[in-house]
Amino acid sequence: QSALTQPASVSGSPGQSITISCTGTSSDVGGYNYVSWYQQHPGKAPKLMIYEVSNRPSGVSNRFSGSKSGNTASLTISGLQAEDEADYYCSSYTSSSTPLYVFGTGTKVTVL
Amino acid sequence: EVQLVESGGGLVKPGGSLRLSCAASGFTFSSYSMNWVRQAPGKGLEWVSSISSSSSYIYYADSVKGRFTISRDNAKNSLYLQMNSLRAEDTAVYYCARAEGGSYLGYWGQGTLVTVSS
C-alpha cells in the first residue's frame, strides 16, 4: 500500500489561509472517516492536530480544520501564524492489516 | 499527563540487534493499543508495528516482518521493540505512540535514534 499523496510544500503570508490536500484510495481515506493530521516541528515529535477527519483535540487552535471529499482529505490553516511553520502529515486507517496506518508524504508549510 | 519515553537507541552494525523500550505514564497503559512509528533522516513517517492492549493482536509493516518483534509488559507499563537483522535502511528515529480507538495516534514519545552503520 502506497503512502498518501500530499503536496511537498505550501506557503502563505501571515493572516492568510492555506489548505493541504491528502489523496488516498477507497481502501484508506475514502473508505473510513479515520483521517488524522499531525504537525511536526524540526527535531520534535509529531503532534496530533485533527482526528477522524474534522475533530480537534483539546488545546489545538480552532484555526486548524479538516474535511474530506471522496478519496481526498484536506487540512486548512486559517489566520496563518509564524509558529504554524512546520511539516504536516496526514494519516488514515486502512482496510489492510499491513500497514495498519498509512501516512502521507508530508507537506512543508512555510510562512512568508 | 500522558508521557511516553523511549530508550534503547544507538549505533549498531548491519546484521546486529537492538531492543527499544517505551515507558508509559499518566494513563492506564493496559487499556490501550500501542504502536511504533519510525522516521528516517529527512524522510516521512512510517508505521512499523502495533500491539493490542492484551497483546492478542499484533501487526507489522512488510518492511520489518520477520525481523522485528513488538511486545509489552502491562505490569511495568512498558512497550518494547526487539529489532534483529538490522539493515542500513532501518536507520531512523523510532517513536512509540498510543492508539486512540484504533483510528489515530493521539500521543507520541520524543523518539529514540537508531543508526545502522558499519
Side-chain angles (χ1 to χ4, degrees), chain A residues 38 40 45 52 89 93 98 101, chain B residues 39 47 60 95 102-103 105 109:
Chain A
Y38 303 87
Q40 187 180 35
E52 292 171 355
Y89 295 91
Y93 185 79
T98 180
Y101 301 94
Chain B
Q39 186 172 35
W47 172 81
Y60 297 99
Y95 297 99
S103 68
L105 303 177

Side-chain angles (χ1 to χ4, degrees), chain B residues 28-44:
Chain B
T28 304
F29 181 72
S30 59
S31 296
Y32 290 86
S33 292
M34 297 296 295
N35 294 262
W36 288 99
V37 177
R38 69 184 180 183
Q39 186 172 35
K43 303 296 184 182

Side-chain angles (χ1 to χ4, degrees), chain B residues 91-114:
Chain B
T91 294
V93 174
Y94 285 73
Y95 297 99
C96 70
R98 190 180 90 173
E100 311 298 325
S103 68
Y104 61 96
L105 303 177
Y107 291 91
W108 298 61
Q110 86 289 349
T112 187
L113 175 63
V114 172

Side-chain angles (χ1 to χ4, degrees), chain A residues 94-112:
Chain A
T94 78
S95 61
S96 171
S97 60
T98 180
L100 200 55
Y101 301 94
V102 61
F103 288 94
T105 49
T107 297
K108 169 67 177 177
V109 168
T110 301
V111 181
L112 301 171

Side-chain angles (χ1 to χ4, degrees), chain A residues 14-64:
Chain A
Q16 286 186 332
S17 292
I18 61 169
T19 297
I20 303 168
S21 62
C22 169
T23 301
T25 69
S26 58
S27 296
D28 38 65
V29 174
Y32 306 92
N33 286 326
Y34 289 153
V35 176
S36 50
W37 290 90
Y38 303 87
Q39 176 192 65
Q40 187 180 35
H41 287 108
K44 300 295 187 182
K47 175 188 175 184
L48 178 69
M49 303 302 284
I50 295 288
Y51 67 96
E52 292 171 355
V53 176
S54 59
N55 296 297
R56 271 189 316 276
S58 174
V60 171
S61 171
N62 59 8
R63 298 185 297 103
F64 292 83

